[in-house]
Amino acid sequence: MSSHKSSLSSSFHNGSSGGLSTTGGGGGGGGQSQSSTSTSNKMRIRAFPATMDEKYVNVIWSMLKNAIQEIQKKNNSGLSFEELYRNAYTMVLNKHGEKLYSGLKEVVTEHLINKVRKDVLDSLNNNFLSSLNQAWNDHQTAMVMIRDILMYMDRVYVQSFGVEPVYNLGLRLFRDTVVRYPLIKDHLRNTLLDMVNKERRGELTDRSAIKNACQMLMTLGIESRTVYYQDFEEPFLQQSAEFYRLESQNFLAENSASVYIRKCDERIREESERANHYLDKSTESRIVKVLENELITAHMKTIVEMENSGVYHMLKHDKHHDLNCMYKLFNRVDHGLDTIADCMSGYLREQGKNLVQQDEHESAKSSTTTNTTATATSSTTNATKTSEESQQQQNQQQKNPINFIQSLLDLKERFDYFLHVSFNDDKLFKKRINSDFEYFVNLNQRVPEYLSLFIDDKLKKGVKGLSEQEIDLVLDKSMVLFRYLQEKDVFERYYKQHLAKRLLLNKSLSDDSEKNMITKLKTECGCQFTSKLEGMFKDMTLSNSMMDEFKNSLQQNNSSLADLCGLDLFCRVLTTGFWPTQQTILPKCNLPLNARNAFDTFKRFYLSKHSGRQLTLQPGLGSADLNALFYTNQQQQQQTQTRKHILQVSTYQMVILMLFSSKERWTYEEIRQETDIPDKELMRAVQSLAMAKPTQRVLCKEPKQREILASDVFVVNDGFTSKLFRVKIGTVSANGPKAGGETDPERLETRMKVDDDRKHEIEAAIVRIMKARKKMQHNLLVTEVTNQLRPRFLPSPVIIKKRIESLIEREYLARTTDDMKMYTYVA
């Protein structure tokens, strides 16, 4: 085809110069020859006849018609394209362009109907696409030659009268008379669709034939894809939708979700490659959209909820790759990711609620067991078994909060891995995971306490196998759960209690780790949240300095042993307000004389340094090391033998044990009157000394029964033995903080204290807002108060309303006369 174009362009050059001739020249060629031999003759433009008679026009047209027919028959080798161009030029120049244009249309139409269409119809059942493609290529080649001959008509007549260019006319005639002839049109469509379906079923097809047919349809659209769309693409998309609708239903019924997802992905890639290879490229997005609708959108709920293979199954069995394939596939369609996220959220909430309910069930069971143990009156079970059971319960209760928080952290880590690997860190899934954790973490009111216990466990001494970097990582994970808490003020109260015990009992693993945790809390909640925690550390530092000064003062006065009565005293001065106190009224306790004198010595020293301050002893937070001598039973050996141990005890235990230096036998009632220790603390201390495990049982109780009565007698256990020289006496308190969690009454007491603190915080927030706004409507005020306090806790609108009423009664606020729901600030 290109060779014809090049030969025609050269002949056009000669033809255009053929209009130039010398005087007396007979023809275009003769004029050119004569001018080369006689340069003296002048050149002039030869004038065509002023008018052309009808006969001459018909002769010229007859020549052109014959030439066009020969071109269509592929007999163009003997034609003079120069002469043909000149003849067409002559007709157009002499206003016979319409005759030339209409004649061309008739000749082309006649050839297409009588020859081309007939040949194509004869090949319907034998090499149809090949015959049609051959006819199309021949027609294109012929129209290119015809267009070149009639180029002057294209330039002048076509543009002047606004008719179709020659080449486009040929395309339209081929489209209307051949391609869109009903039999050919239907057969072409059906043939193409059948070939595509065969390839979908895995059969081999002639891809080049399909490609040529699609390109033909696109070209016949003449700068439009209408022909391609109407004759092929539209029925192709409809048939594809039906094909994949049936295939998806059958495949879903027979295969798992993961297999179906891989099949969908494979089908989409196949159709995309097919469209790029032999369909028009614009079809790719349309056919892919059809597949997305039929394979994915129509079955989204079915796929994700498929039993034993859907999203629940994938999450349960950690099918990260399958989930990632589903994510990529569903990301193609609208609301696809929402469908996966909804299913994931349901599974996550179910797992979280199971953890919470399991903890509540175990806590209730543990509480029931404890109450049964405490109220039992059977005298057949000895005290040893009772103490061992109690110790086991304490250990189990201590593990429950730790295991519960660790389970939450494991669940969070597991879903963070899903988020990164399976869901490509998608913001939608990240938001859902955070929302779900916030939901079920706050279903259990004990989570703030448990989280504080978990951190307390990690920051205590004795945790083996964890480096500072690993502890820091655990604290970072704990902070993730902390962010989900709605009652951060409850966590703060418990954290203060646990931190105080770690600091005062010297159980803190390292100051760096403690301060690191406080820094994390400060970054999350601000300075106000951690101001008291930082104050506790400050007190510890000042106390160390104060004790150094105290000891230096005693050494300078040479009276250290005398003033301290032989005791090695260490005091920590705690600032009121920084440290948590369990009782509003400090408990009384009659210290031994030498301990009381030593404390008075320090008290005088401290007040001399800080006049105007009050210093009060806190016996419940202290500890002591006692040198104890145990004598061998004299009935077995004539010579008395002693065993020496250092007993590490609490202050209350120390007070009780010191009584036995002056008297061998004490009843419970005598101990209570002599020590003046509160009943609750006295019971805990006596149980820990007389009813603990054998390696810590310093006292003996008579009679040996579970309950402790006022008449029960206690004596020193002369048979006490231990492999350790330094023996630590634990506290078998009933579910106290040392055992891992508070009892229900203690938890209720803590909740009441939190509620009291919240009242003040709510009122302070109301006053701050009203002072700034001066005037505010009720609902807006409640919303603003809620937003301000949300970082610490979520206040109830009912409680906020009660605090507003209280402020109105105390004349901080007032209602307006015209609107009772409008408040004003009273300066």
Side-chain angles (χ1 to χ4, degrees), residues 282-299:
S282 61
T283 305
E284 180 187 3
S285 60
R286 292 173 171 83
I287 184 61
V288 168
K289 185 67 176 177
V290 169
L291 265 70
E292 290 172 351
N293 290 335
E294 298 301 331
L295 299 181
I296 307 173
T297 305
H299 305 290

Side-chain angles (χ1 to χ4, degrees), residues 2 10 97 204 211 223 249 283 288 294 319 334 400 415 425 440 470 536 555 566 591 599 637 685 707:
S2 60
S10 63
L204 294 177
K211 181 176 183 180
E223 299 181 357
Q249 292 172 357
T283 305
V288 168
E294 298 301 331
K319 304 286 186 180
D334 294 335
N400 284 343
F415 272 82
D425 291 319
F440 60 72
E470 291 172 330
M536 293 163 69
Q555 290 177 357
L591 294 176
F599 171 70
Q637 298 184 14
E707 290 184 343

Side-chain angles (χ1 to χ4, degrees), residues 762-763 766 778 781-782 785 799-809 813 815 823:
I762 293 173
E763 289 182 354
I766 295 171
H778 175 78
L781 178 58
V782 171
V785 170
I799 302 299
I800 296 176
K801 184 177 180 182
K802 289 182 179 180
R803 301 332 306 159
I804 292 175
E805 296 291 343
S806 175
L807 290 172
I808 292 175
E809 291 176 1
L813 305 180
R815 289 189 172 92
Y823 305 119

